[in-house]
Amino acid sequence: MNRLLYILVLPLLMAGCGGGKVTETAYVSAAPSFDEDSAYSYVAEQCAIGPRVMNSTAHDACGDYIAAKFREFGATVYDQYADARLYDGTPVRMRNIVASLNVEAGGRILFSGHWDSRPWADHDREEANWHTPIDGANDGGSSVGVMLELARQLWKDKEERGDSSFLATHPDLGVDFICWDAEDCGTPSWAKEGDSGESTWCLGSQYWSGKRHVDGYTARYGINLDMVGGERTVFYREQISMAYAPAVVDKVWAAAHRIGYGKYFSYDDEGGQVIDDHVQVNRGGIPCIDVIGTDAENGGFPATWHTMNDNIKYISKATLKAVGQTMLEVIWTEE
Ligand code: AHN
Ligand code: ZN
């Protein structure tokens, strides 16, 4: 398919250059094709279970679903359970889910994203919804959907190609996926009492940065995914990522531009500074970036952010594809 496309497109490009000599050949990636329909189905399945808010049965059921899916794709799954408290003192039981491929390998790449969903639609236009849990299709669901599809692609590659698969030919390279819990239960904007600080967000990654799922765990670098499935989404180079892991930002943005997703990964100087799970990974000594979706029209959080509209209706397969294919390109070009 791809090769045929190049055969058709190249003469057109040459014609467009007025018959001048072609000095560059089209880049052909070695990575498999990320299946956005598959990623989308994983987002839909999480949403169908119900909002994954702390201390709920849907939360627990979805944790089991995620762990089972990663196991289906050949991963070793670690559960990191811990207790924490919300801004108002409510005790919560957290579960960070860590899925590892090529567990013995010393060089590792870490992908992460939160799997809990926000217990309150506190940015909804209707005040009546401000205390209602959200589906978190984009905010939570999309990152897990992309990570599951990345794992499935690595597993499928291994099933199909055996000894010549990516994982088999890179025995010193491992890939980890961490699904953070309790990221999105930070102090609601309507709260009149309790802690309103930044430390009320990202409780799962805060715990992990102090105590890894495996003693001494480290990775070459980390890529945290957040809101990677929205409509009219663009990713800017976020400032904390630029401060702590500029080479990782460069690597990911270059990969996206190489394979034709430059429109999604912008080099414009608009990236804000976001308190997200990548901060904790950096605090733990692993350079980590945040690939966080913003609204292409105003550069702010997506319009559905922390509203009842953050549901499966507003998930874009094109955005899932752009992010997922870029991550496969990053993996497949790792030495
Ligand atoms: C704060 O609003 C402090 N951080 C944004 C991180 C976030 C929330 N990402 C998704 N939901
Ligand atoms: Zn959120």
Side-chain angles (χ1 to χ4, degrees), residues 114 118 139 183-184 201 226-227 305-306:
H114 75 93
R118 186 146 179 83
D139 194 355
E183 186 273 352
D184 227 355
W201 302 82
D226 195 1
M227 302 191 280
W305 183 70
H306 296 181

Side-chain angles (χ1 to χ4, degrees), residues 7-325:
I7 293 166
L8 292 169
V9 165
L10 263 180
L12 288 176
L13 287 175
M14 290 163 77
C17 298
K21 68 174 180 207
V22 175
T23 51
E24 272 177 88
T25 42
Y27 175 76
V28 180
S29 172
S33 176
F34 183 89
D35 184 341
E36 65 271 34
D37 293 320
S38 173
Y40 180 92
S41 75
Y42 301 143
V43 180
E45 279 166 26
Q46 292 170 75
C47 292
I49 294 171
R52 287 89 62 210
V53 301
M54 301 310 296
N55 296 342
S56 71
T57 52
H59 173 275
D60 294 354
C62 191
D64 291 343
Y65 162 80
I66 294 167
K69 283 313 259 187
F70 276 116
R71 283 202 183 92
E72 188 184 320
F73 304 142
T76 300
V77 177
Y78 308 83
D79 284 305
Q80 185 180 52
Y81 288 98
D83 296 305
R85 280 178 193 279
L86 301 189
Y87 75 98
D88 63 353
T90 305
V92 290
R93 183 82 172 145
M94 308 188 288
R95 176 185 186 182
N96 291 328
I97 303 163
V98 187
S100 299
L101 301 171
N102 273 5
V103 259
E104 303 298 334
R108 314 200 61 80
I109 314 176
L110 169 60
F111 292 93
S112 69
H114 75 93
W115 72 273
D116 63 308
S117 58
R118 186 146 179 83
W120 320 284
D122 56 342
H123 278 77
D124 200 273
R125 17 205 315 258
E126 303 287 341
E127 190 171 345
N129 293 330
W130 285 359
H131 293 257
T132 308
I134 66 169
D135 284 353
N138 192 24
D139 194 355
S142 64
S143 324
V144 172
V146 166
M147 290 195 287
L148 282 172
E149 178 59 11
L150 293 175
R152 191 183 74 92
Q153 287 294 337
L154 283 155
W155 166 80
K156 192 165 154 274
D157 176 64
K158 210 173 171 188
E159 297 282 297
E160 288 171 359
R161 301 203 300 142
D163 288 348
S164 53
S165 66
F166 180 82
L167 287 174
T169 54
H170 295 76
D172 298 329
L173 188 65
V175 181
D176 303 298
F177 302 96
I178 305 190
C179 304
W180 308 115
D181 203 357
E183 186 273 352
D184 227 355
C185 44
T187 312
S189 46
W190 41 255
K192 293 186 177 63
E193 282 161 48
D195 182 356
S196 63
E198 288 174 355
S199 63
T200 64
W201 302 82
C202 305
L203 303 181
S205 57
Q206 284 189 48
Y207 181 81
W208 181 90
S209 76
K211 190 183 184 337
R212 309 291 163 91
H213 60 287
V214 167
D215 279 343
Y217 171 86
T218 191
R220 290 178 182 169
Y221 59 89
I223 300 172
N224 189 67
L225 306 172
D226 195 1
M227 302 191 280
V228 293
E231 294 175 335
R232 19 168 252 201
T233 287
V234 64
F235 304 99
Y236 291 108
R237 295 170 298 167
E238 187 271 332
Q239 284 174 13
I240 296 173
S241 310
M242 288 299 274
Y244 286 90
V248 184
V249 174
D250 287 349
K251 184 197 288 276
V252 171
W253 260 246
H257 283 254
R258 199 157 65 226
I259 61 171
Y261 292 112
K263 183 169 81 76
Y264 287 88
F265 289 80
S266 172
Y267 281 115
D268 292 347
D269 208 13
E270 314 248 341
Q273 184 169 311
V274 184
I275 299 302
D276 209 343
D277 292 310
H278 68 312
V279 174
Q280 298 303 324
V281 179
N282 280 304
R283 226 188 97 207
I286 299 170
C288 183
I289 70 167
D290 199 23
V291 174
I292 181 164
T294 57
D295 189 308
E297 257 158 52
N298 59 29
F301 282 136
T304 60
W305 183 70
H306 296 181
T307 75
M308 299 306 289
N309 280 341
D310 186 1
N311 60 50
I312 194 69
K313 273 194 290 193
Y314 298 100
I315 291 298
S316 159
K317 288 185 182 177
T319 306
L320 294 170
K321 171 73 175 176
V323 173
Q325 195 63 54

